Amino acid sequence: MKKTISFAGLHFTVAFTVAYLLTGDLLIGSLIAMIEPIVNTVAFYFHEKAWQTKFLKKSHYSTPASKTISFAVIHFTIAFTVVYLLTGDALIGGMMAMIEPAINTVVYYFHERIWQRKEQQADHHNLLNIMVCQH
C-alpha cells in the first residue's frame, strides 16, 4: 500500500499541473487532478496485483520497462476518458491523454526502479538474517 500511496502523490502533482496549464481553469484543473489520479491509483493497485502473480513475476516480462508500457496503455485510456467527460472537449482530452500520461510514465518508470531496489535490499537483508546463527 505504501507503494500505491507514493505513486498517487506523484500522480496528483503531475495531473494538476498539466490540467491547469491545458485548461487555464483552477476548478476544472483541480477536478481533473482529483478524479483522474484516483481512477488511475485504483487501476495501479490492480495492475500491481496482476504483476505480482507468479507467472509474471518470474517471467522476463517483469522488467520495469514492460510494466511501464502496460500501465501506460491503461493510463492513456483513463486520462482521455476522465478529461473528455469533465470538459466535453475531445481536443483537451486528447492533449491531456498524451501529455500527462507521458510525464507520469517517466515518473512511473523511476518509481518502479526505486521500489524494486527496496524489495531487493529487503530480500538481501532477510537472507542475511536467516544465515546468522540465532544461538
Side-chain angles (χ1 to χ4, degrees):
M1 192 54 93
K2 289 179 186 177
K3 184 177 180 181
T4 301
I5 292 169
S6 68
F7 180 72
L10 294 169
H11 194 156
F12 281 106
T13 303
V14 171
F16 173 76
T17 302
V18 174
Y20 178 71
L21 290 173
L22 285 175
T23 65
D25 187 312
L26 191 59
L27 180 60
I28 294 292
S30 296
L31 284 171
I32 291 169
M34 289 171 48
I35 296 168
E36 191 268 348
I38 288 171
V39 174
N40 266 308
T41 299
V42 172
F44 176 84
Y45 174 79
F46 288 107
H47 180 262
E48 282 298 306
K49 295 289 269 184
W51 279 91
Q52 291 302 315
T53 61
K54 288 181 184 179
F55 174 74
L56 285 176
K57 197 169 186 175
K58 296 194 183 280
S59 76
H60 67 280
Y61 295 111
S62 68
T63 65
S66 295
K67 287 179 73 174
T68 301
I69 290 166
S70 72
F71 188 69
V73 171
I74 294 167
H75 194 159
F76 283 99
T77 304
I78 291 170
F80 175 80
T81 303
V82 168
V83 175
Y84 178 72
L85 290 174
L86 286 173
T87 65
D89 189 324
L91 179 61
I92 290 176
M95 289 175 63
M96 183 73 172
M98 297 307 292
I99 296 168
E100 190 266 347
I103 293 168
N104 268 318
T105 296
V106 173
V107 170
Y108 176 91
Y109 176 80
F110 288 105
H111 182 262
E112 185 62 26
R113 286 189 56 139
I114 290 166
W115 278 91
Q116 281 188 352
R117 280 193 201 128
K118 287 177 92 171
E119 289 172 1
Q120 289 170 349
Q121 289 172 348
D123 290 345
H124 180 71
H125 180 70
N126 290 338
L127 180 61
L128 290 176
N129 284 339
I130 291 169
M131 294 172 61
V132 173
C133 181
Q134 302 295 324
H135 290 94

